[in-house]
Amino acid sequence: MKKVLSLIFIAFTVFALAACGGGKNDSADKDGNKTLVVGASAVPHAEVLEAAKPLLKDKGIDLKIEVFQDYVLPNVALRDKDLDANYFQTPGYLDLQMKENKDFDFVSVGGIHKEPIGIYSKKYKSLKDLPNGATIIMSDSLSDHGRILPIFEKAGLIKLKEGVGANARIDDIVENPKNLKFPKLIEAKLLASSFENGEGDAVAINTNYALEGEIDIEKYGIAFEEANAVPANLVVVRSEDKNREEIKTLVEVLRSKEIQDFIKEKYQGAVITVSE
């Protein structure tokens, strides 16, 4: 009889816990606030999210920030529902990732800021100063190539195949009078280290990694994307969550005047705010 009662008690306890427990998206703290878990690159994304924390708290949302050092794991974590959203990627990267990973059912809920990719050099003051046969180090993220190569084309150093636009790749270079070399493609997070180690004649670096690596952007940046050509960094969620009220509130706060002012003051033009 005691054994039967014990089994009944265990069953009742399990049922009660199941009834009280919610999914990751439904968690709330003791004050009744909803918890939102967002993955982000360390700089500037996590810093922007930290600035948004008190504003979200006032709106009943406790923000938990998970910092990632690469561009791959934040999407894996979002797919696996370890995150409610991530904030680090551009439309081109998102599209490429979804094409390569059929189980990534994601959607952007809005752009927050722009980060112009820059060309950095300790040896030369401008792109035109690059010598014949100069070595350019770039990210191994192909979505970045369509942003980097047009910088060299605009400076008159190369010519790209007509119409390739943002999909430009190294193989699309049809004229290269200085015989610039693009032999080394490395992880974006290692670009700042390559620059500091003096590798290559110039290094194309994403602004977030230049900031994180504490590179003097004004001193060493010799060319940048034009502001109107820079894609926005997005807040991305699973498609099923695009209409969640907490997600809408997150985007509203990140686009608020308070956060836009924080970005302008903190990054002094290295990061550009967007409102749509």
Side-chain angles (χ1 to χ4, degrees):
M1 183 65 178
K2 287 183 179 179
K3 185 175 182 180
V4 173
L5 290 173
S6 296
L7 290 172
I8 292 173
F9 176 78
I10 292 170
F12 176 80
T13 303
V14 170
F15 174 80
L17 289 172
C20 293
K24 293 179 184 177
N25 292 341
D26 298 322
S27 59
D29 67 10
K30 61 182 180 179
D31 298 320
N33 287 356
K34 291 283 188 177
T35 298
L36 203 59
V37 185
V38 180
S41 298
V43 181
H45 309 80
E47 293 178 343
V48 173
L49 289 171
E50 283 288 349
K53 264 187 176 182
L55 300 177
L56 288 166
K57 185 82 169 179
D58 290 343
K59 294 178 179 292
I61 296 174
D62 286 332
L63 179 63
K64 181 179 179 183
I65 304 165
E66 297 287 348
V67 178
F68 291 85
Q69 300 301 322
D70 69 358
Y71 289 160
V72 177
L73 293 179
N75 277 335
V76 174
L78 183 61
R79 177 201 63 193
D80 294 344
K81 299 189 176 183
D82 293 322
L83 302 174
D84 296 298
N86 64 42
Y87 168 39
F88 77 97
Q89 59 195 318
T90 60
Y93 184 78
L94 175 61
D95 290 344
L96 189 62
Q97 285 289 291
M98 290 180 64
K99 286 177 183 176
E100 293 179 352
N101 300 274
K102 299 304 181 184
D103 56 347
F104 285 3
D105 184 16
F106 303 153
V107 64
S108 164
V109 289
I112 307 303
H113 72 264
K114 295 180 177 182
E115 299 172 18
I117 287 180
I119 312 300
Y120 295 85
S121 178
K122 291 184 176 181
K123 303 174 184 177
Y124 305 100
K125 298 298 184 183
S126 74
L127 289 183
K128 293 186 183 298
D129 291 338
L130 292 174
N132 290 332
T135 297
I136 314 300
I137 297 174
M138 297 200 305
S139 161
D140 61 1
S141 175
L142 294 179
S143 63
D144 284 344
H145 294 189
R147 300 173 60 190
I148 297 167
L149 294 174
I151 300 175
F152 289 90
E153 183 176 46
K154 183 174 175 57
L157 297 184
I158 64 172
K159 184 176 181 180
L160 295 167
K161 192 182 300 180
E162 189 173 349
V164 293
N167 295 314
R169 302 290 183 264
I170 293 172
D171 291 343
D172 293 319
I173 298 174
V174 294
E175 293 182 21
N176 186 2
K178 279 196 170 183
N179 193 31
L180 300 182
K181 302 183 186 304
F182 302 88
K184 192 168 184 180
L185 306 181
I186 65 175
E187 283 188 76
K189 66 181 180 180
L190 301 177
L191 291 167
S193 295
S194 290
F195 171 78
E196 293 296 352
N197 292 336
E199 298 177 19
D201 294 290
V203 185
I205 308 178
N206 308 68
T207 295
N208 60 309
Y209 286 124
L211 289 169
E212 191 174 335
E214 298 183 346
I215 293 173
D216 188 328
I217 293 175
E218 186 173 347
K219 181 177 180 179
Y220 295 114
I222 62 175
F224 296 89
E225 287 180 279
E226 292 186 337
N228 61 359
V230 182
N233 279 225
L234 311 171
V235 173
V236 174
V237 301
R238 293 179 295 278
S239 295
E240 67 196 59
D241 291 334
K242 64 182 179 181
N243 293 318
R244 280 181 62 197
E245 287 304 317
E246 298 93 329
I247 297 297
K248 291 180 181 179
T249 302
L250 172 67
V251 174
E252 287 171 5
V253 167
L254 291 176
R255 288 178 172 173
S256 67
K257 185 178 186 304
E258 293 93 331
I259 298 303
Q260 290 188 341
D261 287 347
F262 167 82
I263 291 173
K264 291 172 184 174
E265 183 177 347
K266 174 80 172 175
Y267 304 109
Q268 297 294 307
V271 178
I272 304 166
T273 59
V274 300
S275 57
E276 59 183 35

